Amino acid sequence: MYYTIRGDFMIITVDIGNTNITFGVFDNDDIVFVSRLATQRSLTPDQYAVYFSNIFALHKVDTSLIDGAIISSVVPELTQTLRQAISPICDKCIVIAPGVKTGLDIQIDNPAQLGADLAAGAVGVAENYPLPAFVVDLGTASKLYVVNEKKAFCGGLIAPGIAISLNALTETSSQLPTIALNAPSKACAKNTVECMQSGVILGTASMIDGMIDRFILEVGTPAVIVATGGLSSFIVKECKHDIVYDNDLILKGLKAIYDKNSK
């Protein structure tokens, strides 16, 4: 089943992360499709352009209908590469950087240091959920941050991601195996695999719960807690707090930022 395309205003949204490049297309405010590519720093613009062309063909989307594009990136060496890859599809491409309108009041020590993915996620939650809100973003790094009722980015935390922690554990310990990211039946596990799953899955969930409690003491109770990122689906169901899962939050934020800057 394919989305019925109206085609009157179509935007490409690209989130370049350290592990994956998430690539989505919006038709007005509706998501036509979302696709993910492995982040490969060695590929050329032409190689990425071939990937994009094949993805559009897979989803039966006519690239002549695309009006513009927007990119957030935490991999600086790939930002221009992806911009060049998109250029045959559309002329207008916004890259999230200082000076781009977000509608956020960035209340950190150096607003220019706010990551593009954090800015997009904050806009995504501000435009789609009640405020104040906490955002849990579990990707290459684990992040938790606050957007208050006045659309101010109030700060947050960054911790080693689940995959980074797990890889460090298995690569430096000869007798520990590679495991699936499944929650064990008990926190106090009785075999090596489930002990590792308890530490990785339940331990991360407990860290998130504990830090949410600390944030609440410092900034107040949020109207909603929203989780996004590739690994969130494994974790949030083990958390004690009520957390909404929205895997497209950053792409929604990118679309909103594009709208703010194209008007």
Side-chain angles (χ1 to χ4, degrees):
M1 181 181 294
Y2 291 97
Y3 173 89
T4 301
I5 294 172
R6 298 190 300 276
D8 50 336
F9 186 68
M10 297 187 70
I11 300 300
I12 301 171
T13 56
V14 182
D15 177 38
I16 305 173
N18 286 291
T19 303
N20 291 306
I21 297 170
T22 306
F23 168 62
V25 171
F26 283 77
D27 185 3
N28 290 301
D29 291 327
D30 298 319
I31 298 177
V32 179
F33 71 82
V34 175
S35 185
R36 286 174 176 80
L37 304 172
T39 301
Q40 300 181 68
R41 292 164 174 77
S42 62
L43 295 187
T44 67
D46 285 346
Q47 288 172 309
Y48 273 113
V50 170
Y51 279 133
F52 287 154
S53 177
N54 289 338
I55 291 169
F56 274 108
L58 176 67
H59 292 278
K60 302 186 184 302
V61 174
D62 182 354
T63 57
S64 68
L65 299 175
I66 301 298
D67 295 282
I70 184 166
I71 296 173
S72 67
S73 176
V74 297
V75 188
E77 61 268 34
L78 276 182
T79 305
Q80 190 61 24
T81 298
L82 270 294
R83 188 171 189 170
Q84 292 176 17
I86 291 171
S87 62
I89 300 173
C90 58
D91 294 328
K92 183 174 183 178
C93 181
I94 298 170
V95 176
I96 304 297
V100 171
K101 298 175 185 177
T102 63
L104 297 172
D105 177 15
I106 303 173
Q107 297 181 352
I108 62 174
D109 293 341
N110 184 352
Q113 290 183 342
L114 182 64
D117 57 335
L118 300 183
V123 173
V125 80
E127 296 292 331
N128 293 278
Y129 293 92
L131 297 176
F134 294 174
V135 179
V136 178
D137 185 348
L138 302 181
T140 305
S142 296
K143 291 157 281 189
L144 172 64
Y145 52 92
V146 178
V147 182
N148 73 12
E149 65 278 3
K150 296 181 180 180
K151 296 186 178 181
F153 185 99
C154 300
L157 69 83
I158 302 175
I162 298 165
I164 289 175
S165 299
L166 184 57
N167 288 341
L169 187 64
T170 56
E171 289 174 5
T172 58
S173 302
S174 300
Q175 293 185 320
L176 294 181
T178 301
I179 63 169
L181 290 177
N182 299 319
S185 57
K186 295 181 179 180
C188 183
K190 297 184 181 298
N191 60 71
T192 300
V193 169
E194 289 194 349
C195 282
M196 294 173 66
Q197 290 172 332
S198 179
V200 173
I201 303 296
L202 303 184
T204 300
S206 296
M207 182 271 286
I208 292 169
D209 279 327
M211 293 307 297
I212 287 173
D213 290 338
R214 287 175 178 264
F215 277 33
I216 288 172
L217 290 175
E218 293 180 4
V219 301
T221 302
V224 67
I225 305 171
V226 182
T228 192
L231 297 175
S232 291
S233 61
F234 297 100
I235 303 299
V236 296
K237 58 188 177 183
E238 306 300 332
C239 292
K240 294 180 180 178
H241 286 278
D242 184 16
I243 302 176
V244 178
Y245 178 61
D246 186 344
N247 202 36
D248 300 322
L249 184 71
I250 290 177
L251 299 186
K252 292 175 182 177
L254 287 174
K255 172 58 167 58
I257 294 172
Y258 184 94
D259 290 345
K260 293 177 188 296
N261 287 272
S262 62
K263 293 177 182 179

